[in-house]
Amino acid sequence: AQTVTQSQPEMSVQEAETVTLSCTYDTSENNYYLFWYKQPPSRQMILVIRQEAYKQQNATENRFSVNFQKAAKSFSLKISDSQLGDTAMYFCAFMKQDDKIIFGKGTRLHILP
Amino acid sequence: EPEVTQTPSHQVTQMGQEVILRCVPISNHLYFYWYRQILGQKVEFLVSFYNNEISEKSEIFDDQFSVERPDGSNFTLKIRSTKLEDSAMYFCASSLAGASTDTQYFGPGTRLTVL
């Protein structure tokens, strides 16, 4: 069975700093997808970034980028130039093709003014 | 940009009552999902639905739960006799079929409170 582990329950950084959220996963699959979702206080689930396992190049979306290490089964999220609006719960997630998403327990990120 | 919508945003019900949570997936999507998040916990998969039938369900999705796509646009989750522990945020999600477009897009959620 697949598992997703986020080892940092809570983090705080100053505005404009760079922060990295850690995620590891366990699977025997070769083809899969990895995601980071953001959940602000409104509790809506917002897709931040997505990575296909067959792609070696790390995904980037503006200030958000990932460090995908397939052999190590690691998928960390880097937020550059952090903003107050980045304050949220961040969930790392794994999905086999056309299958359900398995979420980690989340990391609560506080951006401090 | 197309989005998944859910109604109501907040539902309060008495224990033992039936509730129906409604979702309108993105119009050309073919796979539909329900997830649940109990306050302070992680998001958990409930059920997936494709081609008018359940593809997979978790152990949470017992006989009290059912899903339906009654009219080709709505996707509903029914809880027949609610329990206190059903209080949670319920998220609907949808995705396109196919290997290249497997992102699941989530709705804003329905907060269910069982009293």
Side-chain angles (χ1 to χ4, degrees):
Chain A
Q2 289 79 20
T3 58
V4 177
T5 302
Q6 293 179 250
S7 59
Q8 304 150 313
E10 197 158 359
M11 297 180 72
S12 296
V13 295
Q14 294 294 136
E15 191 177 7
E17 288 185 351
T18 294
V19 59
T20 299
L21 309 183
S22 301
C23 174
T24 58
Y25 59 94
D26 189 26
T27 184
S28 58
E29 300 288 326
N30 194 43
N31 293 321
Y32 50 88
Y33 302 82
L34 296 163
F35 307 89
W36 279 96
Y37 281 90
K38 171 185 177 181
Q39 188 179 46
S42 65
R43 296 190 73 186
Q44 182 161 358
M45 295 290 285
I46 302 166
L47 178 66
V48 174
I49 201 163
R50 168 190 168 192
Q51 175 83 42
E52 290 90 346
Y54 63 85
K55 290 186 178 178
Q56 290 188 330
Q57 188 172 7
N58 289 323
T60 63
E61 285 289 341
N62 301 313
R63 297 183 295 108
F64 298 87
S65 61
V66 297
N67 183 6
F68 173 47
Q69 302 288 329
K70 191 172 183 180
K73 296 179 182 172
S74 169
F75 183 62
S76 61
L77 175 69
K78 185 171 82 170
I79 306 174
S80 303
D81 186 26
S82 56
Q83 300 173 0
L84 296 178
D86 296 333
T87 291
M89 194 78 162
Y90 286 82
F91 292 98
C92 179
F94 168 98
M95 188 184 79
K96 290 190 301 183
Q97 189 171 311
D98 293 342
D99 197 23
K100 62 184 178 289
I101 292 178
I102 298 167
F103 289 88
K105 291 188 175 181
T107 295
R108 187 173 301 281
L109 177 64
H110 302 275
I111 307 300
L112 306 173
Chain B
E1 185 176 329
E3 57 183 22
V4 178
T5 59
Q6 290 185 242
T7 54
S9 57
H10 191 189
Q11 173 92 45
V12 182
T13 189
Q14 294 289 327
M15 189 171 60
Q17 294 296 307
E18 174 184 286
V19 294
I20 297 176
L21 310 183
R22 290 184 167 78
C23 168
V24 179
I26 294 172
S27 62
N28 60 340
H29 284 188
L30 299 176
Y31 289 82
F32 313 112
Y33 308 84
W34 282 102
Y35 292 83
R36 179 181 83 174
Q37 185 186 30
I38 294 172
L39 185 64
Q41 299 186 21
K42 67 177 179 179
V43 180
E44 300 172 292
F45 167 77
L46 289 178
V47 65
S48 59
F49 191 86
Y50 170 69
N51 200 25
N52 282 320
E53 59 184 26
I54 291 174
S55 308
E56 186 176 356
K57 59 184 181 180
S58 71
E59 59 274 12
I60 303 169
F61 194 88
D62 61 22
D63 293 343
Q64 294 299 315
F65 291 88
S66 62
V67 289
E68 197 176 36
R69 190 156 159 80
D71 56 12
S73 63
N74 289 285
F75 179 52
T76 61
L77 174 69
K78 182 194 290 187
I79 308 175
R80 187 161 44 238
S81 177
T82 50
K83 308 184 192 71
L84 294 177
E85 54 265 35
D86 293 328
S87 292
M89 196 78 165
Y90 288 81
F91 293 101
C92 173
S94 70
S95 68
L96 273 171
S100 63
T101 52
D102 279 306
T103 297
Q104 291 183 23
Y105 293 90
F106 283 74
T110 292
R111 185 188 303 269
L112 176 66
T113 302
V114 182
L115 303 176

